[in-house]
Amino acid sequence: MNAPVSADLTALSMTEAADAFARGEASAEALVRASLARIDAHDRTVNAVIRLDREAALEAAASQDRARAAGETPGPLAGAPMMHKDMYYRAGKVSTCGSKIRRDFVAPVTATVLQRLDAAGAIDMGTLNMAEFAQNPTGHNAHFGDCHNPWNLPYCTGGSSSGSGAGVAARFFTAALGSDTGGSIRLPATICGVTGLKATQTRVSRAGVMPLSFSADNVGPLVRTARDAARFLRVVAGHDPKDPTSAREPVPDYEAALTGDAKGLRVVVLETGFLDGADAPVATAFEDSMKALAAQGAIVTRANAPEIMRAVNAYTAVISRVEGATIHGNWMRGRAGDYAIHLSARLYGGYAMPGHTYVEALSRRGPLLRRFVAEVMGGADLVATPTLKTRVPTLAETDIDADPANWDRFMAVSANTRPFNYLGLPTISVPCGFDDRGLPIGLQLAGRPFAEGTVLRLADAYQRVTDWHRRAPALP
Amino acid sequence: MEPDLVVPTMEAIRRWAGVSVPNAAARQGLADMAGLIAEVEAVRAGMVFEDEPSSFEAALADLKEPAR
């Protein structure tokens, strides 16, 4: 993996940057200065950044450079510039959560994932724009301004990790944490043309992370390649005593699983509800991706599961709304006017749902997961769908505060991603094409529980024979 | 939900949660919940589940990928 170091250091992926640093081909300071210069040049139009910790980033980079010069072995992410969705707490720093309500909230603790990234040598440059309290799939934000798609500015970025997707796509930094409760990593990944990984539910600690839904929240990376995601996940995954819900499963070397070999992997395409009715450019790009995988030796079959998916979708809606309403109860009682209209309206509905329906939705989760794996996946290793089955909408087309008639288009954005949160399965989105307006299209791959290695292996194999993930937008 | 249930539901929310309807969109959202209620009813009518409790975390562990 010894990619030649580009004159433009922002062209390097996360693993390329860390490897270049480790080999002494690029200093951490040079990597950070290149990122800062690109942000300075282009964030006025993209609006991905909420807080830029310029001096702290340069100090951290200098520390990495000194350590390397002293002969210390660099961490696996050493020197790689990153920024993170503004809901990962760092003690003593403001974490706005994209909201007016928490505009001045100073975090009392540091998130476990940030501690693990720090220990791996990653350079944290600050915080990123996001949907208010991570509560919409488009990335609209009434308080910090909408984030814009680097490929075409009037178009939405996807959400809720809007700044994470837009910033990685714009080459502002090499990697970003997002969070995913209904698609909030995978949607900005697909819409901005980058790679996004939601691991198995419980795989990554949520300690020190703003909650949205106790049952379905996930922490994960937006990066440029499956290899980046593999290295990043190995650093942040694993049990955390501060998050008793985090799994005790051992964390494998995910990069070692990237053999480039797709031969014999069984992939089932979900048609009903996921592929039917897809916009033509999306359907074409998706089918082309299946042909590419088949050409590499994967065995591609088709399946339908309308009954199971209907139940999954209904219960998903119940859980996310009830848990969101509960978490926001105090603010809904006292500061409801400080939310965007669509958010307070959505939270309000959660109070109308009976407790027994919520418990029913939770208790069906295990049985539905068992049925999905047995009846839908059968003997397959992976499930494939488009990540978003429509072309990317504009910010205006999905602004429900400006026009409630946009509701259906707004909700359709997350139709293909939400079910995998209820099911808890590891799921990745990788770029697989562009539509006729020059906006990215994504391929979604899901695996069995804790099969992140297999998901990453197939995604990496696909990226070895395609170059969609290597393309960069021309920024104004 | 049915139009004549919206106002009583708003009152129940106020009593149980102490939350007042924040805007017209929220009120409309209650009315639109009929669709979700119908979906949940349809699931109950169409699928049979074993009696609870059941564990999602146990299912995750049981369904792990076999070792490669």
Side-chain angles (χ1 to χ4, degrees), chain A residues 46 48 129 137-139 147-153 155-171 173 183-196 222-224 387-388 392-393 395 429-434 438-442 468-475:
Chain A
V46 177
N129 206 346
T138 56
C147 192
H148 294 266
N149 194 312
W151 293 93
N152 201 333
L153 296 174
Y155 286 80
C156 84
T157 56
S160 62
S161 310
S162 52
S164 305
V168 172
R171 280 35 179 174
F173 35 80
S184 288
I185 289 173
R186 292 160 288 155
L187 289 169
T190 187
I191 291 173
C192 295
V194 302
T195 298
L222 290 98
V223 286
R224 295 188 203 152
T387 314
L388 170 68
V392 176
L395 284 161
S429 180
V430 296
C432 70
F434 286 83
L439 286 146
I441 298 169
W468 308 114
H469 61 292
R470 290 285 172 199
R471 301 189 185 188
L475 295 172

Short mmCIF file of all heavy atoms in Angstrom, two decimals, chain A residues 46 48 129 137-139 147-153 155-171 173 183-196 222-224 387-388 392-393 395 429-434 438-442 468-475:
data_model
loop_
_atom_site.label_atom_id
_atom_site.label_comp_id
_atom_site.label_asym_id
_atom_site.label_seq_id
_atom_site.Cartn_x
_atom_site.Cartn_y
_atom_site.Cartn_z
N VAL A 46 -19.11 25.66 1.35
CA VAL A 46 -19.61 24.33 1.76
C VAL A 46 -20.29 24.39 3.13
O VAL A 46 -21.30 23.74 3.37
CB VAL A 46 -18.44 23.31 1.78
CG1 VAL A 46 -18.92 21.95 2.28
CG2 VAL A 46 -17.85 23.16 0.37
N ALA A 48 -19.19 23.28 6.13
CA ALA A 48 -19.09 22.01 6.85
C ALA A 48 -18.61 22.19 8.28
O ALA A 48 -18.86 21.34 9.13
CB ALA A 48 -18.13 21.07 6.11
N ASN A 129 -20.55 20.65 11.17
CA ASN A 129 -21.98 20.89 11.02
C ASN A 129 -22.74 19.56 11.00
O ASN A 129 -22.19 18.51 10.65
CB ASN A 129 -22.23 21.66 9.71
CG ASN A 129 -23.50 22.48 9.76
OD1 ASN A 129 -24.35 22.31 10.64
ND2 ASN A 129 -23.63 23.39 8.80
N PRO A 137 -32.55 13.49 7.95
CA PRO A 137 -31.73 12.75 6.99
C PRO A 137 -31.16 13.58 5.85
O PRO A 137 -30.51 13.04 4.96
CB PRO A 137 -32.72 11.72 6.44
CG PRO A 137 -34.03 12.44 6.46
CD PRO A 137 -33.99 13.32 7.69
N THR A 138 -31.42 14.88 5.86
CA THR A 138 -31.00 15.72 4.74
C THR A 138 -29.85 16.64 5.09
O THR A 138 -29.13 17.10 4.20
CB THR A 138 -32.18 16.59 4.28
OG1 THR A 138 -32.65 17.35 5.40
CG2 THR A 138 -33.30 15.72 3.72
N GLY A 139 -29.69 16.96 6.38
CA GLY A 139 -28.61 17.85 6.80
C GLY A 139 -29.03 19.29 6.96
O GLY A 139 -28.19 20.15 7.26
N CYS A 147 -25.52 22.86 5.35
CA CYS A 147 -24.27 22.43 4.73
C CYS A 147 -24.57 22.15 3.24
O CYS A 147 -25.67 21.67 2.92
CB CYS A 147 -23.80 21.16 5.44
SG CYS A 147 -22.14 20.65 5.06
N HIS A 148 -23.62 22.44 2.36
CA HIS A 148 -23.87 22.31 0.92
C HIS A 148 -23.05 21.18 0.32
O HIS A 148 -21.91 20.93 0.73
CB HIS A 148 -23.54 23.62 0.21
CG HIS A 148 -24.46 24.73 0.61
ND1 HIS A 148 -25.60 25.06 -0.10
CD2 HIS A 148 -24.44 25.56 1.67
CE1 HIS A 148 -26.21 26.06 0.49
NE2 HIS A 148 -25.53 26.38 1.59
N ASN A 149 -23.65 20.53 -0.68
CA ASN A 149 -22.98 19.39 -1.31
C ASN A 149 -21.81 19.88 -2.17
O ASN A 149 -22.01 20.69 -3.08
CB ASN A 149 -23.98 18.62 -2.18
CG ASN A 149 -23.46 17.26 -2.58
OD1 ASN A 149 -22.33 17.12 -3.04
ND2 ASN A 149 -24.28 16.25 -2.38
N PRO A 150 -20.60 19.41 -1.89
CA PRO A 150 -19.44 19.90 -2.65
C PRO A 150 -19.50 19.61 -4.15
O PRO A 150 -18.84 20.27 -4.94
CB PRO A 150 -18.26 19.16 -2.02
CG PRO A 150 -18.74 18.69 -0.70
CD PRO A 150 -20.21 18.45 -0.85
N TRP A 151 -20.31 18.60 -4.52
CA TRP A 151 -20.42 18.26 -5.94
C TRP A 151 -21.34 19.22 -6.68
O TRP A 151 -21.23 19.36 -7.90
CB TRP A 151 -20.93 16.83 -6.10
CG TRP A 151 -19.95 15.81 -5.61
CD1 TRP A 151 -19.89 15.25 -4.37
CD2 TRP A 151 -18.86 15.26 -6.35
NE1 TRP A 151 -18.84 14.39 -4.29
CE2 TRP A 151 -18.19 14.35 -5.50
CE3 TRP A 151 -18.39 15.43 -7.66
CZ2 TRP A 151 -17.08 13.64 -5.91
CZ3 TRP A 151 -17.28 14.69 -8.07
CH2 TRP A 151 -16.64 13.82 -7.19
N ASN A 152 -22.25 19.84 -5.95
CA ASN A 152 -23.22 20.73 -6.59
C ASN A 152 -23.94 21.46 -5.45
O ASN A 152 -24.80 20.89 -4.79
CB ASN A 152 -24.20 19.92 -7.45
CG ASN A 152 -24.89 20.77 -8.49
OD1 ASN A 152 -25.04 21.98 -8.30
ND2 ASN A 152 -25.31 20.15 -9.58
N LEU A 153 -23.58 22.69 -5.23
CA LEU A 153 -23.91 23.38 -3.98
C LEU A 153 -25.40 23.48 -3.64
O LEU A 153 -25.76 23.45 -2.46
CB LEU A 153 -23.26 24.76 -3.95
CG LEU A 153 -21.72 24.76 -3.95
CD1 LEU A 153 -21.18 26.17 -4.09
CD2 LEU A 153 -21.17 24.10 -2.69
N TYR A 155 -27.56 21.31 -3.84
CA TYR A 155 -28.08 19.99 -3.46
C TYR A 155 -27.74 19.67 -2.01
O TYR A 155 -26.74 20.15 -1.46
CB TYR A 155 -27.52 18.92 -4.40
CG TYR A 155 -28.17 19.00 -5.76
CD1 TYR A 155 -27.76 19.94 -6.69
CD2 TYR A 155 -29.24 18.17 -6.09
CE1 TYR A 155 -28.38 20.06 -7.92
CE2 TYR A 155 -29.87 18.28 -7.32
CZ TYR A 155 -29.43 19.23 -8.23
OH TYR A 155 -30.06 19.35 -9.45
N CYS A 156 -28.57 18.85 -1.41
CA CYS A 156 -28.36 18.52 0.00
C CYS A 156 -27.16 17.58 0.15
O CYS A 156 -26.73 16.94 -0.81
CB CYS A 156 -29.62 17.95 0.63
SG CYS A 156 -29.90 16.20 0.40
N THR A 157 -26.64 17.53 1.35
CA THR A 157 -25.48 16.68 1.65
C THR A 157 -25.90 15.31 2.18
O THR A 157 -25.07 14.41 2.26
CB THR A 157 -24.64 17.30 2.78
OG1 THR A 157 -25.50 17.51 3.91
CG2 THR A 157 -24.05 18.63 2.35
N GLY A 158 -27.17 15.19 2.55
CA GLY A 158 -27.58 14.06 3.36
C GLY A 158 -27.23 14.35 4.81
O GLY A 158 -26.37 15.19 5.12
N GLY A 159 -27.95 13.69 5.70
CA GLY A 159 -27.72 13.92 7.11
C GLY A 159 -27.94 12.63 7.87
O GLY A 159 -28.26 11.60 7.30
N SER A 160 -27.72 12.69 9.11
CA SER A 160 -27.52 13.93 9.84
C SER A 160 -26.05 14.37 9.90
O SER A 160 -25.76 15.49 10.28
CB SER A 160 -28.05 13.78 11.26
OG SER A 160 -27.34 12.76 11.95
N SER A 161 -25.13 13.52 9.48
CA SER A 161 -23.70 13.85 9.59
C SER A 161 -23.27 14.66 8.36
O SER A 161 -22.35 14.28 7.63
CB SER A 161 -22.87 12.57 9.71
OG SER A 161 -23.39 11.71 10.70
N SER A 162 -23.92 15.80 8.17
CA SER A 162 -23.75 16.57 6.93
C SER A 162 -22.32 17.08 6.75
O SER A 162 -21.72 16.92 5.68
CB SER A 162 -24.73 17.74 6.93
OG SER A 162 -24.60 18.48 8.14
N GLY A 163 -21.76 17.70 7.78
CA GLY A 163 -20.41 18.23 7.67
C GLY A 163 -19.37 17.12 7.51
O GLY A 163 -18.33 17.33 6.86
N SER A 164 -19.64 15.96 8.08
CA SER A 164 -18.71 14.84 7.97
C SER A 164 -18.63 14.37 6.51
O SER A 164 -17.54 14.17 5.97
CB SER A 164 -19.16 13.68 8.87
OG SER A 164 -19.31 14.11 10.21
N GLY A 165 -19.80 14.21 5.87
CA GLY A 165 -19.81 13.77 4.48
C GLY A 165 -19.24 14.83 3.55
O GLY A 165 -18.39 14.54 2.69
N ALA A 166 -19.69 16.07 3.72
CA ALA A 166 -19.25 17.14 2.83
C ALA A 166 -17.76 17.42 3.01
O ALA A 166 -17.04 17.64 2.03
CB ALA A 166 -20.06 18.40 3.11
N GLY A 167 -17.29 17.39 4.24
CA GLY A 167 -15.89 17.70 4.51
C GLY A 167 -14.93 16.65 3.98
O GLY A 167 -13.86 16.98 3.45
N VAL A 168 -15.29 15.37 4.13
CA VAL A 168 -14.43 14.32 3.57
C VAL A 168 -14.43 14.41 2.04
O VAL A 168 -13.38 14.30 1.39
CB VAL A 168 -14.88 12.93 4.06
CG1 VAL A 168 -14.12 11.82 3.33
CG2 VAL A 168 -14.66 12.79 5.56
N ALA A 169 -15.62 14.64 1.47
CA ALA A 169 -15.70 14.75 0.00
C ALA A 169 -14.89 15.93 -0.51
O ALA A 169 -14.24 15.84 -1.56
CB ALA A 169 -17.16 14.90 -0.42
N ALA A 170 -14.91 17.03 0.24
CA ALA A 170 -14.21 18.25 -0.18
C ALA A 170 -12.72 18.18 0.08
O ALA A 170 -12.00 19.13 -0.23
CB ALA A 170 -14.82 19.46 0.52
N ARG A 171 -12.26 17.09 0.65
CA ARG A 171 -10.83 16.92 0.99
C ARG A 171 -10.38 17.94 2.03
O ARG A 171 -9.24 18.40 2.02
CB ARG A 171 -9.94 17.04 -0.25
CG ARG A 171 -9.81 15.84 -1.18
CD ARG A 171 -10.97 15.01 -1.38
NE ARG A 171 -10.72 13.90 -2.32
CZ ARG A 171 -11.57 12.93 -2.59
NH1 ARG A 171 -12.76 12.91 -1.97
NH2 ARG A 171 -11.29 11.98 -3.43
N PHE A 173 -10.31 17.14 5.21
CA PHE A 173 -9.63 16.29 6.18
C PHE A 173 -9.79 14.86 5.69
O PHE A 173 -10.53 14.61 4.73
CB PHE A 173 -10.21 16.47 7.60
CG PHE A 173 -11.69 16.73 7.62
CD1 PHE A 173 -12.57 15.68 7.49
CD2 PHE A 173 -12.18 18.02 7.72
CE1 PHE A 173 -13.95 15.92 7.49
CE2 PHE A 173 -13.55 18.27 7.71
CZ PHE A 173 -14.43 17.21 7.59
N GLY A 183 -29.50 6.08 9.29
CA GLY A 183 -28.78 6.24 8.03
C GLY A 183 -27.84 7.42 8.02
O GLY A 183 -27.27 7.78 6.99
N SER A 184 -27.63 8.02 9.17
CA SER A 184 -26.94 9.32 9.25
C SER A 184 -25.44 9.28 8.96
O SER A 184 -24.82 10.33 8.81
CB SER A 184 -27.16 9.96 10.61
OG SER A 184 -28.49 10.42 10.71
N ILE A 185 -24.85 8.09 8.86
CA ILE A 185 -23.50 7.97 8.30
C ILE A 185 -23.61 7.64 6.81
O ILE A 185 -22.96 8.26 5.96
CB ILE A 185 -22.69 6.87 9.02
CG1 ILE A 185 -22.31 7.32 10.44
CG2 ILE A 185 -21.44 6.50 8.23
CD1 ILE A 185 -21.67 6.24 11.29
N ARG A 186 -24.44 6.65 6.49
CA ARG A 186 -24.49 6.14 5.12
C ARG A 186 -25.10 7.13 4.14
O ARG A 186 -24.70 7.17 2.97
CB ARG A 186 -25.26 4.82 5.11
CG ARG A 186 -24.51 3.68 5.83
CD ARG A 186 -25.45 2.58 6.25
NE ARG A 186 -26.30 2.99 7.36
CZ ARG A 186 -27.48 2.48 7.63
NH1 ARG A 186 -27.99 1.55 6.84
NH2 ARG A 186 -28.19 2.91 8.68
N LEU A 187 -26.05 7.95 4.60
CA LEU A 187 -26.67 8.91 3.67
C LEU A 187 -25.72 10.02 3.23
O LEU A 187 -25.56 10.26 2.03
CB LEU A 187 -27.96 9.47 4.27
CG LEU A 187 -29.10 8.46 4.34
CD1 LEU A 187 -30.25 8.99 5.19
CD2 LEU A 187 -29.59 8.11 2.93
N PRO A 188 -25.08 10.72 4.16
CA PRO A 188 -24.10 11.70 3.67
C PRO A 188 -22.93 11.05 2.94
O PRO A 188 -22.34 11.67 2.06
CB PRO A 188 -23.63 12.41 4.95
CG PRO A 188 -24.11 11.59 6.08
CD PRO A 188 -25.28 10.82 5.60
N ALA A 189 -22.63 9.80 3.27
CA ALA A 189 -21.58 9.10 2.51
C ALA A 189 -22.00 8.93 1.06
O ALA A 189 -21.26 9.28 0.14
CB ALA A 189 -21.27 7.75 3.15
N THR A 190 -23.20 8.40 0.84
CA THR A 190 -23.62 8.17 -0.54
C THR A 190 -23.83 9.48 -1.28
O THR A 190 -23.42 9.64 -2.43
CB THR A 190 -24.90 7.30 -0.60
OG1 THR A 190 -25.16 6.96 -1.95
CG2 THR A 190 -26.11 7.97 -0.04
N ILE A 191 -24.44 10.45 -0.62
CA ILE A 191 -24.81 11.70 -1.30
C ILE A 191 -23.58 12.57 -1.58
O ILE A 191 -23.58 13.33 -2.56
CB ILE A 191 -25.88 12.43 -0.46
CG1 ILE A 191 -27.19 11.64 -0.51
CG2 ILE A 191 -26.09 13.86 -0.93
CD1 ILE A 191 -28.29 12.16 0.40
N CYS A 192 -22.56 12.45 -0.77
CA CYS A 192 -21.33 13.23 -0.99
C CYS A 192 -20.25 12.41 -1.69
O CYS A 192 -19.16 12.92 -1.94
CB CYS A 192 -20.81 13.78 0.34
SG CYS A 192 -21.92 14.98 1.11
N GLY A 193 -20.51 11.13 -1.97
CA GLY A 193 -19.54 10.35 -2.72
C GLY A 193 -18.36 9.86 -1.93
O GLY A 193 -17.23 9.80 -2.45
N VAL A 194 -18.58 9.50 -0.65
CA VAL A 194 -17.50 8.95 0.16
C VAL A 194 -17.94 7.62 0.75
O VAL A 194 -19.03 7.13 0.45
CB VAL A 194 -17.06 9.94 1.28
CG1 VAL A 194 -16.62 11.26 0.66
CG2 VAL A 194 -18.16 10.17 2.30
N THR A 195 -17.10 7.04 1.57
CA THR A 195 -17.38 5.73 2.17
C THR A 195 -17.80 5.92 3.62
O THR A 195 -17.14 6.66 4.36
CB THR A 195 -16.11 4.85 2.09
OG1 THR A 195 -15.77 4.66 0.71
CG2 THR A 195 -16.33 3.50 2.75
N GLY A 196 -18.90 5.27 4.02
CA GLY A 196 -19.37 5.40 5.40
C GLY A 196 -19.75 4.06 5.98
O GLY A 196 -20.42 3.27 5.32
N LEU A 222 -16.81 8.33 8.45
CA LEU A 222 -16.92 8.67 7.03
C LEU A 222 -15.50 8.94 6.55
O LEU A 222 -14.77 9.75 7.14
CB LEU A 222 -17.82 9.89 6.82
CG LEU A 222 -19.30 9.62 7.09
CD1 LEU A 222 -19.68 10.09 8.47
CD2 LEU A 222 -20.18 10.29 6.04
N VAL A 223 -15.12 8.23 5.51
CA VAL A 223 -13.75 8.22 5.02
C VAL A 223 -13.79 8.09 3.50
O VAL A 223 -14.86 8.13 2.89
CB VAL A 223 -12.96 7.05 5.66
CG1 VAL A 223 -12.60 7.33 7.11
CG2 VAL A 223 -13.74 5.74 5.55
N ARG A 224 -12.65 7.90 2.90
CA ARG A 224 -12.66 7.80 1.43
C ARG A 224 -12.68 6.36 0.95
O ARG A 224 -13.18 6.09 -0.13
CB ARG A 224 -11.45 8.55 0.86
CG ARG A 224 -11.56 10.02 1.16
CD ARG A 224 -10.52 10.85 0.47
NE ARG A 224 -10.37 12.09 1.23
CZ ARG A 224 -9.28 12.82 1.28
NH1 ARG A 224 -8.22 12.46 0.59
NH2 ARG A 224 -9.24 13.91 2.01
N THR A 387 -28.01 2.72 -1.63
CA THR A 387 -28.13 3.40 -0.34
C THR A 387 -29.29 4.39 -0.36
O THR A 387 -30.05 4.51 0.60
CB THR A 387 -26.82 4.15 0.00
OG1 THR A 387 -25.72 3.29 -0.25
CG2 THR A 387 -26.80 4.58 1.45
N LEU A 388 -29.43 5.08 -1.47
CA LEU A 388 -30.52 6.04 -1.69
C LEU A 388 -31.10 5.71 -3.05
O LEU A 388 -30.35 5.69 -4.03
CB LEU A 388 -29.97 7.48 -1.66
CG LEU A 388 -30.90 8.60 -2.09
CD1 LEU A 388 -32.03 8.79 -1.09
CD2 LEU A 388 -30.12 9.91 -2.25
N VAL A 392 -30.10 12.47 -5.91
CA VAL A 392 -29.93 13.39 -4.78
C VAL A 392 -30.87 14.58 -4.94
O VAL A 392 -30.87 15.23 -5.99
CB VAL A 392 -28.47 13.88 -4.71
CG1 VAL A 392 -28.30 14.91 -3.59
CG2 VAL A 392 -27.51 12.70 -4.49
N PRO A 393 -31.67 14.88 -3.93
CA PRO A 393 -32.55 16.05 -4.02
C PRO A 393 -31.82 17.35 -3.66
O PRO A 393 -30.74 17.31 -3.05
CB PRO A 393 -33.63 15.75 -2.98
CG PRO A 393 -32.94 14.91 -1.96
CD PRO A 393 -31.89 14.11 -2.71
N LEU A 395 -31.54 21.03 -1.62
CA LEU A 395 -31.92 21.50 -0.28
C LEU A 395 -33.34 22.04 -0.30
O LEU A 395 -34.13 21.79 0.62
CB LEU A 395 -30.94 22.59 0.18
CG LEU A 395 -29.57 22.08 0.64
CD1 LEU A 395 -28.53 23.21 0.62
CD2 LEU A 395 -29.65 21.47 2.03
N SER A 429 -21.70 2.05 3.04
CA SER A 429 -22.06 2.66 1.75
C SER A 429 -20.77 3.07 1.05
O SER A 429 -19.91 3.73 1.65
CB SER A 429 -22.95 3.88 1.95
OG SER A 429 -23.29 4.45 0.68
N VAL A 430 -20.66 2.66 -0.22
CA VAL A 430 -19.50 3.05 -1.04
C VAL A 430 -19.99 3.67 -2.34
O VAL A 430 -21.05 3.30 -2.85
CB VAL A 430 -18.58 1.84 -1.34
CG1 VAL A 430 -17.98 1.30 -0.05
CG2 VAL A 430 -19.34 0.74 -2.08
N PRO A 431 -19.23 4.61 -2.89
CA PRO A 431 -19.66 5.24 -4.16
C PRO A 431 -19.69 4.22 -5.29
O PRO A 431 -18.80 3.37 -5.40
CB PRO A 431 -18.59 6.30 -4.40
CG PRO A 431 -17.92 6.52 -3.08
CD PRO A 431 -18.00 5.21 -2.37
N CYS A 432 -20.74 4.29 -6.14
CA CYS A 432 -20.83 3.36 -7.27
C CYS A 432 -21.24 4.05 -8.56
O CYS A 432 -21.63 3.38 -9.52
CB CYS A 432 -21.77 2.20 -6.95
SG CYS A 432 -23.51 2.64 -6.86
N GLY A 433 -21.17 5.37 -8.61
CA GLY A 433 -21.50 6.05 -9.86
C GLY A 433 -21.93 7.48 -9.62
O GLY A 433 -21.87 7.99 -8.49
N PHE A 434 -22.32 8.13 -10.71
CA PHE A 434 -22.82 9.50 -10.64
C PHE A 434 -24.07 9.60 -11.51
O PHE A 434 -24.20 8.89 -12.51
CB PHE A 434 -21.75 10.49 -11.14
CG PHE A 434 -20.63 10.67 -10.16
CD1 PHE A 434 -19.58 9.77 -10.11
CD2 PHE A 434 -20.64 11.73 -9.27
CE1 PHE A 434 -18.55 9.91 -9.19
CE2 PHE A 434 -19.60 11.89 -8.34
CZ PHE A 434 -18.55 10.98 -8.31
N GLY A 438 -24.40 14.96 -12.12
CA GLY A 438 -23.06 14.94 -11.54
C GLY A 438 -23.03 14.68 -10.05
O GLY A 438 -22.02 14.95 -9.40
N LEU A 439 -24.11 14.14 -9.52
CA LEU A 439 -24.15 13.85 -8.08
C LEU A 439 -23.95 12.36 -7.83
O LEU A 439 -24.39 11.53 -8.62
CB LEU A 439 -25.47 14.34 -7.49
CG LEU A 439 -25.48 15.87 -7.38
CD1 LEU A 439 -26.85 16.44 -7.61
CD2 LEU A 439 -24.92 16.31 -6.04
N PRO A 440 -23.30 12.03 -6.71
CA PRO A 440 -22.90 10.64 -6.48
C PRO A 440 -24.08 9.69 -6.22
O PRO A 440 -25.17 10.10 -5.81
CB PRO A 440 -22.02 10.74 -5.22
CG PRO A 440 -21.60 12.16 -5.13
CD PRO A 440 -22.74 12.95 -5.70
N ILE A 441 -23.80 8.42 -6.45
CA ILE A 441 -24.74 7.32 -6.17
C ILE A 441 -23.99 6.31 -5.30
O ILE A 441 -22.78 6.10 -5.49
CB ILE A 441 -25.21 6.65 -7.47
CG1 ILE A 441 -25.97 7.67 -8.35
CG2 ILE A 441 -26.09 5.43 -7.19
CD1 ILE A 441 -26.24 7.19 -9.76
N GLY A 442 -24.71 5.70 -4.35
CA GLY A 442 -24.04 4.79 -3.42
C GLY A 442 -24.58 3.38 -3.44
O GLY A 442 -25.77 3.14 -3.67
N TRP A 468 -14.72 5.25 -8.49
CA TRP A 468 -15.71 6.25 -8.05
C TRP A 468 -15.26 6.94 -6.77
O TRP A 468 -15.45 8.13 -6.60
CB TRP A 468 -17.08 5.59 -7.82
CG TRP A 468 -17.59 4.78 -8.97
CD1 TRP A 468 -17.79 3.43 -9.00
CD2 TRP A 468 -17.98 5.26 -10.26
NE1 TRP A 468 -18.28 3.04 -10.22
CE2 TRP A 468 -18.41 4.14 -11.01
CE3 TRP A 468 -18.02 6.52 -10.85
CZ2 TRP A 468 -18.87 4.24 -12.33
CZ3 TRP A 468 -18.47 6.63 -12.16
CH2 TRP A 468 -18.89 5.50 -12.89
N HIS A 469 -14.65 6.17 -5.87
CA HIS A 469 -14.24 6.71 -4.57
C HIS A 469 -13.02 7.60 -4.68
O HIS A 469 -12.66 8.28 -3.72
CB HIS A 469 -13.97 5.56 -3.60
CG HIS A 469 -12.87 4.65 -4.05
ND1 HIS A 469 -12.98 3.83 -5.14
CD2 HIS A 469 -11.62 4.44 -3.56
CE1 HIS A 469 -11.87 3.16 -5.31
NE2 HIS A 469 -11.02 3.51 -4.36
N ARG A 470 -12.34 7.57 -5.81
CA ARG A 470 -11.14 8.39 -6.00
C ARG A 470 -11.47 9.76 -6.58
O ARG A 470 -10.61 10.64 -6.61
CB ARG A 470 -10.17 7.67 -6.95
CG ARG A 470 -9.53 6.44 -6.33
CD ARG A 470 -8.45 6.85 -5.34
NE ARG A 470 -7.93 5.71 -4.58
CZ ARG A 470 -7.27 5.83 -3.44
NH1 ARG A 470 -7.04 7.03 -2.93
NH2 ARG A 470 -6.84 4.78 -2.80
N ARG A 471 -12.67 9.95 -7.06
CA ARG A 471 -13.01 11.21 -7.72
C ARG A 471 -13.25 12.30 -6.68
O ARG A 471 -13.76 12.05 -5.59
CB ARG A 471 -14.24 11.02 -8.60
CG ARG A 471 -14.00 9.96 -9.67
CD ARG A 471 -15.11 9.90 -10.67
NE ARG A 471 -14.89 8.79 -11.60
CZ ARG A 471 -15.62 8.58 -12.70
NH1 ARG A 471 -16.61 9.40 -12.99
NH2 ARG A 471 -15.35 7.55 -13.48
N ALA A 472 -12.90 13.51 -7.05
CA ALA A 472 -13.04 14.65 -6.13
C ALA A 472 -13.81 15.78 -6.81
O ALA A 472 -13.65 15.99 -8.02
CB ALA A 472 -11.67 15.15 -5.70
N PRO A 473 -14.63 16.47 -6.07
CA PRO A 473 -15.39 17.58 -6.66
C PRO A 473 -14.50 18.78 -6.95
O PRO A 473 -13.51 19.01 -6.25
CB PRO A 473 -16.42 17.90 -5.58
CG PRO A 473 -15.78 17.46 -4.31
CD PRO A 473 -14.92 16.28 -4.65
N ALA A 474 -14.86 19.52 -7.99
CA ALA A 474 -14.18 20.79 -8.28
C ALA A 474 -14.88 21.87 -7.47
O ALA A 474 -16.03 22.22 -7.75
CB ALA A 474 -14.25 21.09 -9.77
N LEU A 475 -14.20 22.39 -6.47
CA LEU A 475 -14.85 23.34 -5.56
C LEU A 475 -14.73 24.78 -6.06
O LEU A 475 -13.69 25.16 -6.61
CB LEU A 475 -14.22 23.24 -4.17
CG LEU A 475 -14.43 21.92 -3.45
CD1 LEU A 475 -13.61 21.88 -2.17
CD2 LEU A 475 -15.90 21.70 -3.13
#
